[in-house]
């Protein structure tokens, strides 16, 4: 009781500094000092924003004290990021935006604090999914592969896993709006588990990021950032429809959101249905069908001392498994999975709060996630069923500092339960409980053109599982009680020669603890017999990155290189023996290293503003200590894109035409258990425009993937094992209907 009283007194004393009203207002102009209507003004740290009126004016009220980055954006103009320090007074801004054909910088949140891409010592790529000219695909993960260095392991359109610089599965951490996403990510047979509905951007960290996120971030991070709330005083929403010829697919989603001065909320529902897809040449792939639906709710409050947001996500997936048993049973195309499919049902509740205590800010985040996994063999016959429940909690303190400097101290905890339910025949993973705790510190300091970042982290984890079976049986699994602890850190710097050119260098140590599947597996899984290894040690990685970036208003070049050495790299490989009539695979580990890099060019000729050229190249080599190549390493990729973007064409506005060519080099650097994959070229086409029916805007997009209906196989497609190819020609039609109304 005494502690509670002291805390209340402390909050009261510190809160005296935030009772005054903070107001930010201003006008946004173009380069000719003409006010811009509809410019977006957004404070990422508070998840709060508005838009300018017909006079270019905006106003944000009820803001807490502290340091904030305000991002001002408008189509066709360079983003402007204005840092402000609020202290109980009115803040006036006059913003002049300059035309730019290339969007070069934005505020990112995956760095631990709200900062810009160029300020951060760790390179963070941003993919904006709300850009209407983005190539549409039945496979959400395929849209992310437009970022150099990002690939995917696929088992058809519905089952895909992200790959960052050659690392995948549990070596890549997936975040749902900053929350660790836990849904049995260890297997390439399991899906990503996050759909694109209501996702505005994806932030990508390439390379170790254990300092902020802990285990599983040894290869990098994908953070799926939710759409921002409606502008203050507005009701906003949109309906989206996509039709796909190759898989006879249909995708729908509908969202509404509303914001007042202090409260905001929203809802989005979505659905996907796809039949078996067609390979290049026209033959269908049996059981590649899948179905998915989701519901997403959110609400939030912004006050003078507290900013909080609450999210609820539900996602249900039914995914056909393209395996020999299913191929033998399915004679014609279908839409509904009925045999040999997996079902994932996920509930995720999270709250993210920021408490403003004078010049100090405290982040307090919690989440509870439950994922139920079931494998169905024959119709309505459950082979296995289990539930993974994850509780995560985190607190971070951002201490007062001078502009350009940031200091963070944080603590995190994770509790996780795996339970087999309904007494199914197969126990894939034993009942188990794991707990992990960590503390970390991070500092950034600026000196003229240099910005330095350094941090340190300590983690402790325990995994305890029950025994499975009888000791005399071949599939017996003894109980496990393992403890791990790790110390990791990173150091990096950014040197900004001028507003156009910067260089980054970063070194980071990361780790990954063995997971339950790697330690305890002993039984059949997806057509093979998997055997775990109780003696596995944590993976430990040290990576060095160097990158350079140059841009002006019509030209951008970005180049990056890396070397990643991994001690005790964990992988699964065939033993050459049969176990229970199935090929046996065992988890093993060895020291390994990966190296490579990416190059990107983007050019808009000043004399021909409607034309643009874009080129990306990425490569990675991965080897074990004995000189053998690592499995599932993507082939080198080279992409070319030519775009035509205008302001007006007939009845349409903002028309565009994009022609892209993707070249995958032959992958001859293969693991002994893999086969060589030939090179291939794909041609893609996308076109679209915005229209108006009366006062109602519409956005229409037509995309053709694999225009020439090329019969090819990607090196990371697991369907290569059963002699099936990637999708052939796919024509998609997309329609977006946005709507907006004032509530004042």
């Amino acid at each position: 009781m005494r502690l509670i009283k002291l805390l209340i007194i402390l909050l009261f004393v510190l809160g005296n500094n935030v009772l005054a009203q903070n107001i930010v207002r201003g006008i946004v102009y173009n380069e000719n000092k003409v006010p811009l209507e509809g410019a977006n003004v957004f404070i990422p740290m508070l998840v709060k924003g508005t838009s300018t009126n017909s006079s270019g004016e905006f106003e944000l009220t009820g803001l807490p004290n502290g340091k904030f980055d305000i991002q001002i954006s408008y189509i066709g103009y360079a983003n402007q990021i204005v840092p402000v320090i609020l202290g109980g007074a009115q803040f006036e801004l006059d913003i002049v935006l300059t035309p730019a054909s290339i969007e070069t910088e934005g505020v990112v949140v995956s760095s631990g604090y709200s900062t810009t891409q160029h300020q951060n010592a760790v390179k963070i790529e941003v993919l904006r999914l709300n850009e209407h000219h983005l190539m549409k695909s039945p496979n959400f993960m395929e849209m992310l592969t437009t970022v150099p260095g990002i690939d995917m392991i696929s088992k058809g359109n519905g089952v895909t896993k992200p790959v960052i610089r050659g690392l995948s599965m549990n070596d890549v951490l997936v975040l749902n709006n900053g929350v660790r996403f836990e849904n049995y990510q260890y297997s390439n047979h399991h899906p990503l588990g996050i759909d694109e509905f209501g996702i505005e951007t994806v932030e990508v960290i390439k390379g170790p990021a254990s300092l902020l996120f802990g285990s599983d971030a040894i290869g990098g991070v994908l953070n799926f950032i939710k759409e921002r709330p409606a502008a203050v005083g507005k009701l906003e929403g949109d309906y989206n429809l996509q039709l796909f010829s190759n898989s006879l697919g249909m995708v729908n989603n509908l969202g509404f959101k509303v914001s007042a001065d202090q409260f905001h909320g929203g809802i989005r529902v979505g659905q996907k249905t796809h039949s078996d897809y067609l390979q290049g040449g026209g033959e269908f792939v049996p059981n590649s069908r899948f179905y998915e639906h989701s519901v997403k709710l959110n609400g939030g409050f912004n006050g003078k001392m507290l900013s909080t947001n609450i999210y609820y996500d539900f996602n249900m997936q039914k995914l056909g498994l393209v395996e020999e048993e299913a191929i033998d049973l399915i004679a014609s195309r279908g839409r509904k999975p009925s045999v040999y499919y997996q079902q994932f049902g996920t509930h995720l509740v999270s709250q993210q709060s920021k408490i403003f205590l004078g010049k100090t800010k405290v982040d307090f985040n919690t989440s509870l996630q439950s994922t139920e996994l079931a494998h169905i063999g024959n119709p309505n016959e459950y082979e296995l069923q289990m539930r993974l429940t994850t509780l995560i909690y985190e607190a971070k303190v951002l201490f007062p500092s001078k502009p350009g400097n940031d200091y963070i101290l944080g603590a995190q905890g994770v509790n996780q339960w795996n339970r087999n339910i309904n007494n199914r025949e197969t126990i894939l993973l034993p009942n188990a409980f794991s707990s992990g705790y960590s503390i970390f510190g991070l500092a950034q300091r600026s000196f003229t053109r240099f910005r330095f970042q350094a941090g340190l982290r300590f983690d402790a984890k325990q995994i305890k599982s029950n025994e499975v079976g009888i000791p005399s049986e071949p599939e017996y699994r003894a109980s496990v009680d393992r403890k791990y602890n790790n110390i990791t850190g990173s150091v990096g710097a950014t040197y900004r020669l001028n507003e156009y050119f910067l260089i980054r260098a970063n070194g980071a140590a990361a780790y990954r603890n063995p997971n339950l599947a790697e330690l305890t597996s002993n039984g059949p899984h997806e057509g093979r017999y998997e055997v775990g290894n109780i003696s596995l040690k944590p993976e430990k990685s040290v990576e060095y990155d160097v990158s350079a970036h140059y841009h002006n208003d019509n030209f951008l070049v970005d180049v990056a290189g890396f070397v990643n050495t991994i001690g005790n790299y964990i992988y699964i490989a065939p033993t050459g023996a049969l176990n229970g009539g199935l090929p046996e695979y065992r988890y093993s580990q060895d020291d390994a290293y990966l190296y490579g890099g990416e190059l990107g060019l983007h050019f808009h000729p000043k004399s021909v503003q409607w034309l643009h050229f874009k080129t990306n190249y990425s490569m990675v080599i991965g080897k074990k200590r004995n000189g053998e190549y690592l499995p599932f390493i993507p082939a080198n990729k080279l992409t070319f894109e030519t775009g035509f973007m205008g302001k007006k064409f007939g009845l349409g506005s903002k028309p565009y035409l994009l022609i892209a060519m993707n070249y995958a080099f032959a992958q001859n650097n293969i693991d002994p258990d893999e086969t060589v994959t030939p090179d291939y070229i794909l041609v893609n086409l996308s076109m679209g425009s915005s229209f108006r029916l009366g006062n109602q805007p519409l956005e229409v997009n037509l995309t053709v993937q694999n225009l020439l209906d090329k019969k090819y196989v990607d090196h990371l497609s697991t369907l290569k094992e059963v002699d099936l190819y990637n999708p052939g020609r796919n024509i998609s039609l997309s329609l977006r209907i946005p709507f907006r109304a004032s509530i004042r």
Side-chain angles (χ1 to χ4, degrees):
M1 183 62 70
R2 180 177 296 177
L3 179 61
I4 294 175
K5 290 180 179 179
L6 289 174
L7 180 59
I8 293 173
I9 293 172
L10 178 62
L11 290 174
F12 177 77
V13 172
L14 292 174
N16 283 336
N17 293 324
V18 297
L19 293 179
Q21 172 78 306
N22 282 313
I23 299 174
V24 175
R25 61 164 56 103
I27 304 176
V28 179
Y29 302 96
N30 67 10
E31 74 280 13
N32 297 318
K33 292 292 285 186
V34 175
L36 290 173
E37 180 181 4
N40 292 309
V41 182
F42 188 65
I43 305 178
M45 184 180 292
L46 300 177
V47 197
K48 183 174 183 176
T50 186
S51 57
T52 56
N53 60 22
S54 58
S55 300
E57 299 169 338
F58 69 90
E59 180 178 275
L60 288 169
T61 62
L63 305 176
N65 288 347
K67 296 191 306 180
F68 303 98
D69 284 329
I70 300 178
Q71 180 171 295
I72 301 95
S73 58
Y74 192 81
I75 296 175
Y77 289 79
N79 285 350
Q80 190 165 146
I81 299 161
V82 181
V84 298
I85 300 178
L86 303 180
Q90 183 171 297
F91 207 97
E92 298 281 351
L93 292 175
D94 276 352
I95 306 297
V96 178
L97 298 182
T98 58
S101 303
I102 296 175
E103 191 171 313
T104 59
E105 185 177 22
V107 174
V108 292
V109 298
S110 300
S111 58
Y113 29 68
S114 180
T115 185
T116 70
Q117 289 173 271
H118 294 169
Q119 289 175 337
N120 203 57
V122 176
K123 191 171 188 289
I124 301 178
E125 304 269 11
V126 176
L127 177 65
R128 294 172 175 84
L129 297 186
N130 56 0
E131 293 184 347
H132 60 282
H133 59 266
L134 191 68
M135 292 275 185
K136 304 298 189 295
S137 169
N139 184 345
F140 174 39
M141 186 62 222
E142 186 174 8
M143 297 164 67
L144 307 186
T145 61
T146 58
V147 177
I150 308 300
D151 290 273
M152 64 177 181
I153 297 173
S154 67
K155 195 179 186 70
N157 285 328
V159 182
T160 57
K161 308 291 287 189
V163 179
I164 300 180
R165 287 179 168 176
L167 294 175
S168 56
M169 266 78 80
N170 275 334
D171 288 329
V172 171
L173 179 62
V174 175
L175 303 177
N176 184 340
N177 208 49
V179 175
R180 289 178 67 98
F181 194 71
E182 300 281 346
N183 70 329
Y184 300 108
Q185 288 290 319
Y186 68 90
S187 172
N188 59 38
H189 299 283
H190 297 164
L192 175 67
I194 297 177
D195 63 42
E196 65 271 31
F197 305 150
I199 300 297
E200 185 167 305
T201 60
V202 183
E203 295 183 2
V204 182
I205 300 177
K206 292 183 280 192
S210 288
L211 177 65
L212 287 173
F213 304 108
S215 181
D216 299 353
I218 196 169
V221 175
L222 290 177
N223 191 1
F224 295 85
I225 309 297
K226 292 183 179 296
E227 61 185 319
R228 63 185 62 179
V232 173
K234 302 294 182 181
L235 167 68
E236 299 175 358
D238 55 78
Y239 169 71
N240 301 272
L241 170 67
Q242 297 175 10
L243 303 173
F244 300 95
S245 68
N246 183 281
S247 60
L248 303 178
M250 181 172 67
V251 175
N252 290 275
N253 76 90
L254 173 67
F256 296 90
K257 53 188 179 180
V258 62
S259 290
D261 286 333
Q262 290 189 309
F263 294 92
H264 62 83
I267 181 172
R268 185 169 291 276
V269 295
Q271 167 263 348
K272 298 181 180 182
T273 175
H274 292 268
S275 69
D276 302 322
Y277 79 80
L278 301 178
Q279 309 173 69
E283 295 185 14
F284 80 95
V285 174
N287 217 32
S288 58
R289 61 196 70 174
F290 67 97
Y291 171 81
E292 180 177 351
H293 65 268
S294 65
V295 178
K296 302 179 181 183
L297 304 169
N298 72 84
F301 167 79
N302 277 300
K304 297 175 183 178
M305 292 184 60
L306 175 69
S307 173
T308 187
N309 291 277
I310 299 175
Y311 304 95
Y312 168 70
D313 291 8
F314 169 72
N315 184 272
M316 172 60 73
Q317 297 174 292
K318 294 184 179 181
L319 309 155
L321 292 170
V322 185
E323 297 178 344
E324 292 183 0
E325 297 93 334
I327 293 172
D328 294 337
L329 287 175
I330 296 175
S332 60
R333 293 181 79 184
R335 181 175 299 276
K336 181 180 178 181
S338 59
V339 296
Y340 292 99
Y341 69 92
Q342 56 185 341
Q343 178 175 291
F344 286 82
T346 298
H347 299 266
L348 173 60
V349 179
S350 64
Q351 74 80 29
Q352 300 173 0
S353 299
K354 294 177 175 63
I355 304 171
F356 300 91
L357 305 173
K359 296 182 180 180
T360 301
K361 181 169 73 71
V362 179
D363 286 1
F364 179 67
N365 308 318
T366 57
S367 67
L368 180 64
Q369 178 180 341
S370 175
T371 295
E372 184 176 306
L373 164 63
H375 284 198
I376 292 86
N378 294 319
N380 301 316
E381 182 181 301
Y382 283 71
E383 295 178 341
L384 66 89
Q385 193 174 14
M386 57 185 180
R387 181 181 296 121
L388 184 68
T389 304
T390 307
L391 172 66
I392 301 174
Y393 41 96
E394 173 189 61
K396 295 187 296 186
V397 180
L398 282 73
F399 294 99
S401 60
K402 297 178 181 179
N405 299 337
D406 296 282
Y407 305 97
I408 297 176
L409 182 63
Q412 296 170 338
V414 180
N415 291 344
Q416 194 167 70
W417 298 262
N418 185 72
R419 291 290 181 267
N420 291 276
I421 57 178
N422 296 328
N423 297 314
R424 302 304 181 185
E425 177 184 356
T426 300
I427 297 179
L428 182 61
L429 300 177
N431 293 342
F433 170 73
S434 66
S435 59
Y437 309 95
S438 61
I439 58 173
F440 63 92
L442 180 65
Q444 278 202 130
R445 296 203 64 181
S446 298
F447 302 93
T448 315
R449 295 179 180 177
F450 284 94
R451 189 175 180 91
F452 293 93
Q453 176 180 296
L456 197 65
R457 180 186 179 102
F458 171 78
D459 287 87
K461 183 174 182 177
Q462 183 176 21
I463 301 177
K464 300 177 70 173
S465 72
N466 297 347
E467 67 175 355
V468 177
I470 301 172
S472 60
E473 295 179 344
E475 294 186 9
Y476 172 74
R477 279 170 273 187
S479 61
V480 170
D481 188 354
R482 300 294 302 272
K483 295 181 179 180
Y484 306 96
N485 58 74
N486 296 276
I487 296 177
T488 54
S490 70
V491 60
T494 300
Y495 174 69
R496 194 157 187 166
L497 181 64
N498 51 46
E499 62 178 307
Y500 305 112
F501 182 73
L502 64 90
I503 299 173
R504 285 190 185 91
N506 193 65
Y511 76 99
R512 181 175 78 80
N513 294 319
N515 60 45
L516 193 60
E518 294 163 339
L519 293 170
T520 67
S521 292
N522 189 20
H525 183 216
E526 310 295 358
R528 64 191 189 188
Y529 195 101
E530 297 180 357
V531 181
N533 184 347
I534 192 62
S535 63
L536 291 176
K537 301 176 183 178
E539 293 181 342
K540 294 189 176 181
S541 162
V542 177
E543 178 169 316
Y544 300 98
D545 295 81
V546 177
S547 64
H549 174 95
Y550 173 82
H551 76 269
N552 55 33
D553 59 355
N554 71 314
F555 178 72
L556 180 150
V557 58
D558 198 284
V559 60
F562 72 94
V563 176
N564 192 357
T565 60
I566 305 175
N568 303 317
Y569 177 75
I570 300 172
Y571 61 96
I572 189 169
T575 64
L578 294 178
N579 196 329
L582 298 172
E584 182 181 86
Y585 282 68
R586 285 184 178 267
Y587 284 100
S588 304
Q589 59 187 170
D590 197 352
D591 293 340
Y593 62 94
L594 300 97
Y595 62 91
E598 301 89 34
L599 171 66
L601 298 171
H602 194 175
F603 175 55
H604 279 261
K606 285 188 175 181
S607 57
V608 192
Q609 287 290 321
W610 47 266
L611 181 65
H612 93 119
F613 301 96
K614 195 173 183 178
T615 299
N616 290 318
Y617 174 72
S618 61
M619 63 88 65
V620 59
I621 301 292
K623 289 186 175 183
K624 303 174 190 174
R625 178 176 54 183
N626 62 9
E628 293 179 350
Y629 289 100
L630 294 174
F632 286 119
I633 299 298
N636 299 345
K637 300 284 179 67
L638 180 63
T639 65
F640 300 94
E641 179 182 285
T642 300
F644 306 87
M645 298 184 181
K647 294 183 179 180
K648 192 76 176 175
F649 184 78
L651 298 177
S653 60
K654 302 173 186 174
Y656 62 90
L657 171 64
L658 302 177
I659 303 171
M661 184 182 73
N662 302 333
Y663 177 60
F665 292 76
Q667 181 55 293
N668 300 310
N669 303 325
I670 57 173
D671 177 86
D673 300 306
E674 295 180 319
T675 57
V676 169
T677 303
D679 64 340
Y680 60 86
I681 297 176
L682 301 180
V683 179
N684 301 321
L685 176 70
S686 180
M687 66 182 72
S689 185
S690 298
F691 300 91
R692 278 194 173 271
L693 293 178
N695 292 325
Q696 177 59 57
L698 305 173
E699 297 173 7
V700 180
N701 171 276
L702 178 69
T703 297
V704 184
Q705 293 175 288
N706 194 358
L707 178 67
L708 304 180
D709 201 27
K710 174 73 174 179
K711 191 173 185 178
Y712 75 101
V713 61
D714 188 85
H715 186 68
L716 300 186
S717 171
T718 61
L719 299 187
K720 182 182 179 183
E721 303 167 0
V722 287
D723 298 321
L724 294 171
Y725 295 89
N726 285 75
R729 182 185 299 113
N730 176 59
I731 302 172
S732 67
L733 176 66
S734 300
L735 171 68
R736 180 175 183 269
I737 306 175
F739 47 86
R740 190 181 198 192
S742 176
I743 61 174
R744 291 176 172 175

